[in-house]
Amino acid sequence: MERLKKLLIIGFVWPEPNSSAAGGRMMQLISIFQENNFKITFASPALDSEFMVDLSAFGVEKKAIELNNSSFDDFVKELGPEVVLFDRFMIEEQFGWRVTENCPKAIRILDTEDLHCLRTARQKAFKENRNFELLDLLSEEVAKREIASILRCDVSLIISEFEMNILKDVFKINEELLFYLPFLVDEMKEEELLKLPAFEERKNFVFIGNFLHEPNWNTVQHLKEAIWPSIKKDFPEAVLEVYGAYPSQKVLQLHQPKNGFFIKGRAEDANEVVKNARVVLAPICFGAGLKGKLLEAMQCGTPSVTTTIGSEAMHNNLSWNGFIEDNPEEFSKKAIALYQDEKLWKQAQKNGIAIINECYQKSNYSVQLILLVNSLLIDSESHRLHNFMGNLLQHHAFKSTMYMSKWIEAKNKN
């Protein structure tokens, strides 16, 4: 029997698969590694949350760690992981140098989640009421940190092909340092639609998204101000239900039952909510990565109306499971048409299945990921030798995060 290999995942937060797409993706990664003979320890400096997953139920060891504390050095040295996966670049900044010092042979993987610099630059352009340009990324402060983190790691998991192209074309990152890994789901057959609620059994428009994520809050604002008045004007009986974890007071204040606009807060079962809605509305104005809510809509047989940003890199130019529309007036018309026209609605459902089966098949990507990790375990020296910029950033002269952390730790002791 093959020996279990040790994987240490260092999480930005504890996984909450029912609260965010990021939590769902993390559980997908855990599943892939467990299926391929890895024993997993999940460590995080985050506080426990009410809705975090019970990692022990999935056979994963849970470990609380501290920022700017050398106790992590003892922990990681004793654990001796062969592979370390950092959840977002901020975690690699904090713990990457400690892993390198204490477990120099461990393979370092960065799960970017999405490109934070892309999301930030788009958000700035949106707030300044101007068009986003790819060159904006080169002056984005967070890009310098994020790209440095990618270069320091042996490989980074990139969720979007659009972002793969940005990293290669704009930032000139060597393709050998990148691995395209979208959301991963099982194949879906058209017959499965028959098990889902039918057109006439469903009601209402729905939006769902974690409100700790700025693009989601902005989307709900945009729905309320620019799109819902137009929908209500042409379809007075329309109802929109807005679900999402961690709604702030400013979100709750948008609740307006008389206008058919309901803020529902956290969904106990997001899948059930989407499955029983007739149409998902997601007029996303800025963001990055892939939109888990839109893939979930396809899996639930629920057509959606979204924007170019919302659908970015999600459908390989296949017909969308509904409509892609940036103009608020047209968005509203398409939403009503999709809600009222059963034939149009059923075709949109089928489009969603085609997208799932072409773009998100777990079997298409998980095998390649494990092959890559195993090849790095066999010959990391050659891989690292050719990553000169990464080696440069590992040099002590460039380790500002390390010295800052040591200074904070010393200060805390005093």
Side-chain angles (χ1 to χ4, degrees):
M1 185 176 169
E2 191 185 346
R3 181 182 68 84
L4 283 173
K5 297 183 281 278
K6 291 180 187 174
L7 166 65
L8 169 63
I9 299 175
I10 309 179
F12 183 68
V13 293
W14 301 107
E16 290 188 26
N18 293 327
S19 299
S20 70
R25 175 175 173 80
M26 181 53 72
M27 296 311 293
Q28 289 170 3
L29 287 170
I30 286 171
S31 167
I32 290 170
F33 280 102
Q34 282 184 325
E35 287 165 11
N36 287 277
N37 222 31
F38 280 84
K39 183 179 190 312
I40 301 174
T41 301
F42 194 107
S44 178
L47 295 172
D48 285 4
S49 71
E50 186 184 350
F51 302 103
M52 61 191 273
V53 75
D54 178 6
L55 289 166
S56 63
F58 291 87
V60 175
E61 186 181 334
K62 176 179 179 283
K63 171 73 177 175
I65 53 177
E66 289 184 48
L67 296 171
N68 307 309
N69 194 312
S70 56
S71 60
F72 177 84
D73 302 349
D74 299 327
F75 155 69
V76 78
K77 202 181 290 184
E78 188 180 338
L79 182 67
E82 284 103 322
V83 180
V84 178
L85 188 149
F86 303 101
D87 169 28
R88 288 166 258 206
F89 80 90
M90 303 83 84
I91 285 295
E92 188 280 333
E93 280 183 332
Q94 286 284 345
F95 295 99
W97 64 271
R98 292 186 183 274
V99 169
T100 302
E101 277 195 352
N102 294 286
C103 302
K105 291 187 176 177
I107 301 306
R108 300 183 297 271
I109 302 174
L110 173 65
D111 184 27
T112 56
E113 294 288 357
D114 60 25
L115 275 187
H116 292 63
C117 60
L118 175 62
R119 176 157 31 101
T120 304
R122 278 178 166 165
Q123 185 172 342
K124 280 184 185 172
F126 175 80
K127 290 190 172 175
E128 291 166 11
N129 200 24
R130 59 178 174 82
N131 290 329
F132 163 76
E133 304 283 346
L134 283 177
L135 288 178
D136 292 346
L137 294 168
L138 297 176
S139 58
E140 186 53 56
E141 197 59 35
V142 75
K144 299 176 179 70
R145 296 169 55 200
E146 192 164 22
I147 298 305
S149 184
I150 288 170
L151 288 168
R152 283 191 297 263
C153 289
D154 295 308
V155 69
S156 292
L157 308 181
I158 312 300
I159 202 167
S160 153
E161 285 186 306
F162 181 75
E163 293 176 10
M164 283 284 283
N165 291 333
I166 284 176
L167 290 168
K168 289 186 285 187
D169 300 339
V170 178
F171 293 110
K172 312 301 180 189
I173 304 285
N174 184 334
E175 197 166 354
E176 288 188 1
L177 298 179
L178 309 173
F179 183 83
Y180 171 57
L181 191 73
F183 292 124
L184 303 175
V185 298
D186 294 322
E187 184 182 2
M188 189 171 177
K189 294 183 167 55
E190 273 194 26
E191 306 89 80
E192 292 179 50
L193 292 174
L194 299 173
K195 300 174 190 169
L196 296 168
F199 176 83
E200 64 278 0
E201 294 173 307
R202 298 173 181 241
K203 63 177 184 177
N204 301 340
F205 294 101
V206 73
F207 170 82
I208 193 159
N210 185 326
F211 286 107
L212 294 179
H213 192 53
E214 180 71 19
N216 287 334
W217 156 238
N218 176 266
T219 297
V220 174
Q221 274 184 304
H222 187 54
L223 267 169
K224 185 75 162 45
E225 294 164 12
I227 288 166
W228 195 243
S230 184
I231 288 178
K232 284 298 278 185
K233 180 169 145 295
D234 294 333
F235 183 22
E237 58 269 43
V239 169
L240 171 64
E241 295 182 325
V242 175
Y243 287 87
Y246 305 107
S248 63
Q249 195 53 42
K250 60 185 179 181
V251 175
L252 297 172
Q253 283 173 351
L254 297 180
H255 184 65
Q256 199 174 24
K258 285 182 182 176
N259 198 32
F261 200 97
F262 292 84
I263 304 293
K264 294 285 198 173
R266 174 184 289 275
E268 275 188 38
D269 186 334
N271 206 262
E272 279 301 307
V273 165
V274 178
K275 210 186 285 182
N276 287 289
R278 193 175 287 180
V279 175
V280 165
L281 300 182
I284 298 163
C285 298
F286 57 82
L290 301 181
K291 311 302 176 287
K293 61 178 69 61
L294 295 176
L295 177 59
E296 181 179 45
M298 295 176 205
Q299 291 177 287
C300 292
T302 311
S304 65
V305 188
T306 190
T307 54
T308 305
I309 293 277
S311 66
E312 180 179 272
M314 285 205 67
H315 60 116
N316 254 3
N317 296 319
L318 294 172
S319 296
W320 189 249
N321 75 316
F323 293 105
I324 299 166
E325 184 55 65
D326 294 321
N327 178 279
E329 198 66 38
E330 286 302 310
F331 188 103
S332 304
K333 287 178 184 172
K334 298 273 174 63
I336 294 170
L338 196 54
Y339 192 97
Q340 295 179 334
D341 187 330
E342 185 173 359
K343 188 179 176 186
L344 193 65
W345 188 87
K346 284 185 173 175
Q347 183 55 53
Q349 270 192 328
K350 290 177 183 176
N351 293 349
I353 288 180
I355 293 169
I356 287 170
N357 292 340
E358 178 161 325
C359 305
Y360 300 100
Q361 282 310 289
K362 184 178 176 182
S363 56
N364 291 350
Y365 299 98
S366 56
V367 173
Q368 279 74 20
L369 173 62
I370 297 301
L371 284 172
L372 172 62
V373 172
N374 285 335
S375 72
L376 288 170
L377 284 167
I378 292 165
D379 190 13
S380 61
E381 279 187 33
S382 172
H383 179 81
R384 288 173 178 175
L385 182 66
H386 290 91
N387 180 15
F388 179 78
M389 293 305 291
N391 291 326
L392 179 71
L393 290 167
Q394 294 287 4
H395 191 274
H396 67 84
F398 294 93
K399 287 190 172 179
S400 59
T401 51
M402 178 181 83
Y403 294 115
M404 175 61 80
S405 182
K406 285 179 180 281
W407 180 80
I408 291 170
E409 184 176 6
K411 188 168 175 283
N412 288 343
K413 282 178 182 173
N414 293 332

